[in-house]
């Protein structure tokens, strides 16, 4: 599907299809990526990364190693999944075909589970700018500083905090949900390690043990950090898009890749102002 080589301290990925960096990194599934002059910068699994897509389609991961590529970035960017084949399957439906073409190159990121859980707790009734600000303050206050960037704090670190400790985040009602999540994960009451292997309904129920985690937040976590590609996060916005485009029900062709289809539908409907402002 693709080839890569390590050269001059960088990883060069050749022949990768269906991988657009802005569409993937700025579509609302992750909140710690920033773009400057075509180069994207972010932190995941405790590692800082810069990457860029060149005009010839080569994706360059700067200042990393073959070890980090194989152990972190290959899976994080879902590089071994054949998105071209998935798009072909979805495109049997004409409306989905339009969504796939418009949303070209979105890949599902396989993110760190606790960070994803906290991020989508924070995302509730919130906008992207504020979500990013809260997460940034969370990392700066309680993460580990490494050469100018901050890791995401562990569940154990956060479980020892109080609501007063979280006041600098300015996260409002979400602070108590973050603490409940941290305590239940740190104690093992909620097991994040096996969710990818559980039936979807069981995995969703496991996450919903956390106060403030409903079906939508749970499905975001399952899709974006546990490889549950049948998870289909539904908020008011995506429900409206589904009603407008498909009469409410996801086309049969999309059932096995519902979560990936959801990303194409969401991006297409939002970016084309299909549902208005």
């Amino acid at each position: 599907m693709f080839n890569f080589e390590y050269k001059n301290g960088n990883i060069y990925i050749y022949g990768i299809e269906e991988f657009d960096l802005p569409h993937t990194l700025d579509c609302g599934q992750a909140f710690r990526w920033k773009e400057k002059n075509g180069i994207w910068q972010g932190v995941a699994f405790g590692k800082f990364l810069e990457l860029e897509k060149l005009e010839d389609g080569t994706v360059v991961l700067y200042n990393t190693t073959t070890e980090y590529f194989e152990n972190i970035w290959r899976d994080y960017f879902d590089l071994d999944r054949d998105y071209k084949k998935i798009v072909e399957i979805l495109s049997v439906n004409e409306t989905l075909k339009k969504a796939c073409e418009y949303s070209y190159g979105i890949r599902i990121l396989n993110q760190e589970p606790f960070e994803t859980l906290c991020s989508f707790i924070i995302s509730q009734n919130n906008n992207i700018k504020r979500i990013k600000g809260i997460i940034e303050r969370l990392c700066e206050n309680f993460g580990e500083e490494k050469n100018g960037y901050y890791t995401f704090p562990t569940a154990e670190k956060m479980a020892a905090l109080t609501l007063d400790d979280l006041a600098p985040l300015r996260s409002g009602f979400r602070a108590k949900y973050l603490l409940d999540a941290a305590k239940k994960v740190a104690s093992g009451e909620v097991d994040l390690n096996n969710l990818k292997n559980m039936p979807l309904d069981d995995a969703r129920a496991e996450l919903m043990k956390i106060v403030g985690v409903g079906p939508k937040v749970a499905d975001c976590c399952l899709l974006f950090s546990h490889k549950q590609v049948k998870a289909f996060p539904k908020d008011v916005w995506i429900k409206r898009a589904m009603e407008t485009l498909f009469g409410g029900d996801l086309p049969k062709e999309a059932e096995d890749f519902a979560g990936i289809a959801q990303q194409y539908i969401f991006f297409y409907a939002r970016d084309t102002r299909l549902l208005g402002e």
Side-chain angles (χ1 to χ4, degrees):
M1 293 169 61
F2 68 90
N3 298 308
F4 75 94
E5 68 172 333
Y6 177 77
K7 184 171 61 177
N8 301 324
N10 308 318
I11 293 286
Y12 293 79
I13 306 171
Y14 308 108
I16 189 73
E17 297 183 283
E18 297 288 336
F19 190 16
D20 182 90
L21 299 188
H23 287 182
T24 296
L25 300 176
D26 201 31
C27 68
Q29 60 173 318
F31 304 101
R32 299 196 69 196
W33 291 97
K34 299 178 181 179
E35 183 268 337
K36 185 176 181 179
N37 298 323
I39 296 177
W40 288 84
Q41 301 176 330
V43 181
F45 289 93
K47 302 297 179 186
F48 175 81
L49 182 70
E50 293 184 313
L51 71 160
E52 178 181 19
K53 189 171 185 179
L54 306 181
E55 289 186 3
D56 66 359
T58 301
V59 176
V60 186
L61 279 56
Y62 292 106
N63 299 311
T64 190
T65 65
T66 301
E67 179 186 2
Y68 287 158
F69 175 72
E70 290 287 14
N71 293 333
I72 298 176
W73 305 119
R74 184 172 189 146
D75 189 62
Y76 180 85
F77 293 115
D78 211 21
L79 296 182
D80 290 305
R81 192 184 301 277
D82 189 347
Y83 279 79
K84 184 178 180 181
K85 181 64 176 177
I86 292 170
V87 167
E88 289 174 359
I89 293 170
L90 297 179
S91 294
V92 171
N93 179 282
E94 281 301 315
T95 303
L96 277 175
K97 182 179 180 181
K98 291 179 183 178
C100 291
E101 289 173 349
Y102 192 89
S103 309
Y104 169 81
I106 292 178
R107 286 180 168 262
I108 301 299
L109 300 174
N110 295 310
Q111 302 174 70
E112 196 280 319
F114 183 65
E115 177 177 344
T116 308
L117 172 60
C118 292
S119 296
F120 282 96
I121 287 173
I122 290 167
S123 77
Q124 297 179 87
N125 301 312
N126 221 339
N127 61 61
I128 296 292
K129 183 178 180 180
R130 191 158 183 267
I131 295 166
K132 289 183 175 182
I134 294 171
I135 292 172
E136 186 174 6
R137 291 190 290 274
L138 178 61
C139 295
E140 289 175 352
N141 279 276
F142 306 110
E144 184 180 346
E145 195 274 331
K146 290 186 175 182
N147 299 318
Y149 70 90
Y150 293 87
T151 64
F152 198 89
T154 64
E156 291 74 19
K157 176 69 176 288
M158 286 181 59
L161 302 176
T162 66
L163 287 175
D164 286 342
D165 292 329
L166 294 184
L169 305 185
R170 304 194 299 279
S171 59
F173 67 88
R174 304 164 192 85
K176 59 181 180 291
Y177 300 157
L178 291 172
L179 288 185
D180 190 69
K183 289 174 181 177
K184 285 176 177 171
V185 170
S187 70
E189 182 179 347
V190 172
D191 180 11
L192 299 183
N193 295 322
N194 197 41
L195 294 180
K196 67 170 68 74
N197 302 314
M198 295 171 65
L200 181 57
D201 289 344
D202 293 346
R204 185 183 297 117
E206 179 74 6
L207 286 169
M208 288 172 61
K209 291 177 182 178
I210 297 166
V211 177
V213 173
K216 188 257 183 176
V217 169
D219 277 359
C220 285
C221 295
L222 294 171
L223 177 60
F224 300 134
S225 60
H226 297 282
K227 301 186 179 182
Q228 292 268 16
V229 294
K230 290 187 178 183
F232 192 91
K234 294 178 183 177
D235 58 11
V236 172
W237 213 93
I238 195 67
K239 288 176 183 177
R240 287 174 56 207
M242 291 297 297
E243 191 66 40
T244 300
L245 292 171
F246 306 107
D249 295 322
L250 189 67
K252 185 177 180 181
E253 296 85 2
E255 289 178 357
D256 287 340
F257 307 103
I260 297 173
Q262 189 262 18
Q263 285 293 281
Y264 296 148
I265 293 164
F266 183 86
F267 187 91
Y268 171 63
R270 180 196 65 181
D271 213 55
T272 59
R273 303 292 196 273
L274 182 71
L275 305 179
E277 295 293 339

